[in-house]
């Protein structure tokens, strides 16, 4: 079956996310395989945002392990012990989204690509435990803001609802 992404004319992120969310919801509702849904979600976000790298790292005991992604080759494992490393590790440890406007100013940033200038990492939490993180790298400085936090948070929420449907959100 052909799948076609419909994007608004504008490059404004808020409008972009509003257009993407129902399309991602439709894409993932008919498939119950997590990796397949992460792969298509990464493809949709990467195509729409036109950033440098878009993908997922999954929590596997003592490391974040590379999952489906779009973009250049990336680090396969990000250690979580003795201390979580990098921006992804910071989001894992804080259990909240992290925006890094300038990766060179972030101590411990892991440079998978020398072209990366800014980054956003959004964790997916289930019962307070991080299951995976969505990581997006941009070749532009300061490329992520509140609109991305909200929009990507909603996308991660769709994945959580699809694959961890019985989770309870504690406010
Ligand atoms: N920069 C990330 C590592 C993953 S890559 O960006 C794909 C980090 O510091 O955790």
């Amino acid at each position: 079956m052909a799948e076609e992404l419909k994007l608004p004319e504008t490059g404004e992120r808020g409008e972009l996310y509003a257009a993407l969310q129902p399309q991602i919801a439709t894409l993932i509702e008919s498939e119950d395989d997590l990796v397949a849904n992460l792969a298509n979600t990464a493809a949709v976000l990467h195509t729409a945002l036109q950033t440098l790298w878009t993908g997922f790292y999954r929590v596997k005991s003592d490391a974040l392990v590379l999952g489906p992604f779009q973009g250049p080759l990336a680090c396969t494992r990000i250690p979580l012990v003795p201390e979580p490393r990098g921006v992804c590790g910071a989001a894992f440890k804080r259990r909240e989204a992290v925006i890094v406007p300038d990766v060179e100013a972030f101590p411990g940033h892991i440079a998978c690509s020398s072209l990366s200038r800014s980054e956003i990492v959004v964790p997916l939490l289930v019962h307070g435990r991080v299951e995976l993180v969505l990581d997006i790298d941009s070749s532009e400085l300061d490329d992520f803001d509140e609109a991305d936090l909200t929009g990507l948070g909603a996308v991660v929420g769709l994945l959580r609802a699809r694959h961890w449907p019985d989770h309870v959100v504690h406010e």
Side-chain angles (χ1 to χ4, degrees):
M1 183 178 77
E3 304 283 356
E4 197 185 333
L5 187 60
K6 293 185 184 60
L7 297 174
E9 299 280 310
T10 171
E12 202 270 318
R13 292 268 173 90
E15 283 186 42
L16 207 50
Y17 290 120
L20 292 181
Q21 280 158 29
Q23 296 184 75
I24 292 174
T26 302
L27 257 181
I28 69 178
E29 76 185 359
S30 56
E31 176 52 61
D32 64 9
D33 185 87
L34 174 63
V35 170
N37 284 337
L38 296 181
N40 259 343
T41 301
V44 167
L45 291 174
H46 196 70
T47 304
L49 299 173
Q50 299 190 332
T51 37
L52 178 66
W53 194 92
T54 310
F56 294 91
Y57 282 88
R58 299 169 73 189
V59 179
K60 300 270 178 184
S61 60
D62 59 356
L64 295 169
V65 180
L66 185 62
F69 73 96
Q70 301 263 316
L73 269 181
C75 328
T76 309
R77 276 175 190 263
I78 299 174
L80 293 174
V81 291
E83 274 299 306
R85 294 193 50 214
V87 184
C88 291
F92 172 86
K93 189 175 176 179
R94 295 178 202 170
R95 294 192 292 172
E96 63 183 27
V98 175
I99 290 179
V100 177
D102 177 358
V103 294
E104 285 176 18
F106 186 93
H109 167 255
I110 302 165
C112 292
S113 165
S114 59
L115 297 175
S116 178
R117 291 283 170 271
S118 60
E119 182 164 357
I120 183 169
V121 179
V122 181
L124 186 157
L125 279 94
V126 179
H127 300 303
R129 204 177 74 177
V130 180
E131 294 286 342
L132 54 82
V133 299
L134 166 61
D135 178 18
I136 304 185
D137 284 47
S138 173
S139 54
E140 289 175 30
L141 272 176
D142 201 11
D143 199 15
F144 303 104
D145 62 17
E146 284 295 321
D148 300 285
L149 272 184
T150 306
L152 296 173
V155 169
V156 164
L158 291 173
L159 289 165
R160 185 179 54 207
R162 179 71 185 87
H163 292 284
W164 290 271
D166 62 345
H167 84 283
V168 178
V169 178
H170 299 286
E171 297 295 342

